[in-house]
C-alpha cells in the first residue's frame, strides 16, 4: 500500500510537471506515453496465433505522433501530417514476406494497437492547442476531472455500492459508484472555471460529463481486454499500479470525444 501511494504521488507530480514545463516538454512527454502504452498493448496481445509487427507499429505511430507534435508546435502545416501514410502501408507489405498462417491477425492487432492505445494520446496533446496557442489548463483540467471521477466513484461505490455495473467484466464497479464519480467530476469542473478560466462553467461541466461517462467505459473496455487475454496488468513500470495502459484507460475513450466536443463549440 505504501509503495502504491508513493508511486502515485510521484506519477501525478511528473504529469503535472509535464504541463507546466512548456509546450515542447508537454508534446514530447505525452507522445512518449502513447508509444509506451502501444508497446504494452503489443506485449499483452502477443501470442502464437497473434504476432503484431511491434517494430513497424511503433515506428508508424512514432512518425505520426512526431508529425502531429510538429504541427501543434507550428513547425509544419497540417497537410504534411499525411506523410505518415507510407509507414502504415509498410505494415501490410511486410506481412507478404512473413509467411504467417493468419497474416491479417497480425496486421489487425498492429493497427488496433495504434488506434486504441496510441492515437488517443495525440487527441489529448491536441487539447493543449485547441484554442490556438499552447494552453496547458485544458489538458491539465482534463486529468484533474478524470482523477476526480475515479476518486468519486471509489468513495461512492464503497459507501453506497449495491447494483453491479458490468459484473462479468469488473465485479467491483457499481451504478452508485458510476453516478457518484460523474457527480464529483462535475462538481470539481465547476470550480475549474474560477481557477483555470479557458472555458465557461457549462463547457467545463460538459467536459466532466463526457469524461465521467466515457472514462468509466474506457476503464471497462481495458478490463475486458485484459480479461479476454487472461492478464492482470498491462505492465509493471509503475510499482503497485501496473502498467501505463492501466493508468490511462479512461483517457483512451474520453480524450478523442472531449477534443471533438471542444472543436464543435469553438
Amino acid at each position: 500500500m505504501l509503495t502504491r501511494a508513493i508511486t502515485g504521488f510521484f506519477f501525478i507530480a511528473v504529469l503535472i510537471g509535464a504541463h507546466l514545463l512548456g509546450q515542447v516538454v508537454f508534446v514530447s512527454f505525452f507522445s512518449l506515453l502513447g508509444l509506451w502504452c502501444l508497446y504494452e498493448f503489443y506485449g499483452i496481445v502477443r501470442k502464437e496465433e497473434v504476432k503484431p509487427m511491434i517494430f513497424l507499429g511503433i515506428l508508424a505511430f512514432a512518425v505520426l505522433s512526431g508529425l502531429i507534435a510538429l504541427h501543434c508546435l507550428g513547425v509544419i502545416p497540417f497537410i504534411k501530417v499525411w506523410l505518415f501514410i507510407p509507414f502504415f502501408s509498410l505494415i501490410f507489405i511486410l506481412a507478404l514476406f512473413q509467411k504467417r498462417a493468419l497474416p491479417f491477425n497480425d496486421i489487425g492487432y498492429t493497427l488496433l494497437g495504434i488506434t486504441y492505445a496510441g492515437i488517443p494520446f495525440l487527441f489529448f496533446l491536441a487539447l493543449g492547442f485547441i484554442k490556438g496557442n499552447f494552453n496547458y489548463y485544458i489538458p491539465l483540467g482534463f486529468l484533474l476531472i478524470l482523477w476526480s471521477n475515479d476518486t468519486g466513484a471509489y468513495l461512492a461505490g464503497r459507501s453506497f455500492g449495491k447494483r453491479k455495473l458490468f459484473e462479468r467484466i469488473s465485479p467491483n464497479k457499481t451504478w452508485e459508484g458510476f453516478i457518484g464519480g460523474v457527480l464529483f467530476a462535475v462538481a470539481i469542473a465547476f470550480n475549474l472555471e474560477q481557477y483555470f478560466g479557458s472555458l465557461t462553467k457549462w463547457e467545463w461541466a460538459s467536459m466532466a460529463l463526457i469524461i465521467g461517462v466515457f472514462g468509466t467505459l474506457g476503464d471497462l473496455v481495458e478490463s475486458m481486454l485484459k480479461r479476454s487475454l487472461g492478464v492482470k496488468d498491462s505492465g509493471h513500470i509503475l510499482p503497485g499500479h501496473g502498467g501505463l495502459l492501466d493508468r490511462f484507460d479512461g483517457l483512451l475513450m474520453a480524450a478523442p470525444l472531449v477534443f471533438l466536443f471542444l472543436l464543435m463549440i469553438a
Side-chain angles (χ1 to χ4, degrees):
M1 192 66 180
L2 179 61
T3 300
R4 181 180 176 87
I6 293 173
T7 302
F9 173 80
F10 282 105
F11 183 56
I12 290 173
V14 169
L15 288 174
I16 294 175
H19 288 75
L20 302 180
L21 292 175
Q23 58 183 3
V24 174
V25 172
F26 174 76
V27 298
S28 301
F29 181 78
F30 283 99
S31 295
L32 289 173
L33 280 185
L35 282 169
W36 189 268
C37 286
L38 177 59
Y39 174 74
E40 287 187 348
F41 176 87
Y42 288 153
I44 62 175
V45 302
R46 184 176 173 84
K47 309 288 183 184
E48 179 57 37
E49 65 276 14
V50 176
K51 291 187 177 179
M53 289 166 267
I54 298 175
F55 175 77
L56 267 186
I58 290 176
L59 175 63
F61 179 69
V63 171
L64 175 59
S65 61
L67 291 169
I68 290 289
L70 290 174
H71 169 66
C72 288
L73 295 173
V75 178
I76 62 172
F78 184 77
I79 190 68
K80 291 191 176 180
V81 172
W82 296 106
L83 291 172
F84 77 87
I85 289 177
F87 294 89
F88 279 71
S89 300
L90 284 174
I91 294 171
F92 292 87
I93 295 168
L94 180 64
L96 293 171
F97 299 92
Q98 291 189 320
K99 300 179 181 179
R100 296 270 295 157
L102 300 171
F104 271 87
N105 278 5
D106 303 339
I107 294 170
Y109 274 95
T110 302
L111 297 176
L112 175 62
I114 295 171
T115 304
Y116 170 69
I119 287 178
F121 283 93
L122 303 184
F123 282 101
F124 178 79
L125 68 85
L127 289 177
F129 300 87
I130 200 161
K131 294 291 186 178
N133 295 326
F134 177 59
N135 179 352
Y136 66 81
Y137 285 120
I138 295 176
L140 182 57
F142 179 104
L143 290 182
L144 291 175
I145 292 170
L146 185 64
W147 297 334
S148 299
N149 178 68
D150 291 343
T151 302
Y154 174 76
L155 295 175
R158 280 183 62 89
S159 301
F160 311 109
K162 292 181 180 179
R163 299 168 183 81
K164 301 298 183 182
L165 186 58
F166 277 95
E167 188 171 10
R168 65 185 176 84
I169 294 173
S170 184
N172 295 325
K173 280 188 168 46
T174 63
W175 278 102
E176 292 81 2
F178 169 67
I179 295 170
V182 172
L183 291 177
F184 189 56
V186 171
I188 294 298
F190 270 119
N191 289 284
L192 290 180
E193 189 272 339
Q194 179 181 353
Y195 298 103
F196 283 10
S198 304
L199 302 173
T200 64
K201 281 190 176 182
W202 82 266
E203 289 170 342
W204 279 115
S206 300
M207 185 170 157
L209 283 172
I210 296 171
I211 294 171
V213 173
F214 290 96
T216 302
L217 292 174
D219 188 333
L220 288 166
V221 167
E222 204 241 357
S223 295
M224 178 173 64
L225 171 66
K226 292 189 294 185
R227 187 173 288 270
S228 68
L229 296 171
V231 299
K232 183 176 183 295
D233 296 316
S234 66
H236 307 285
I237 191 172
L238 299 173
H241 288 266
L244 289 177
L245 198 59
D246 298 321
R247 300 282 61 82
F248 288 103
D249 47 13
L251 179 149
L252 301 180
M253 293 289 117
L257 293 172
V258 168
F259 177 82
L260 180 61
F261 164 70
L262 295 179
L263 194 66
M264 290 176 64
I265 65 171

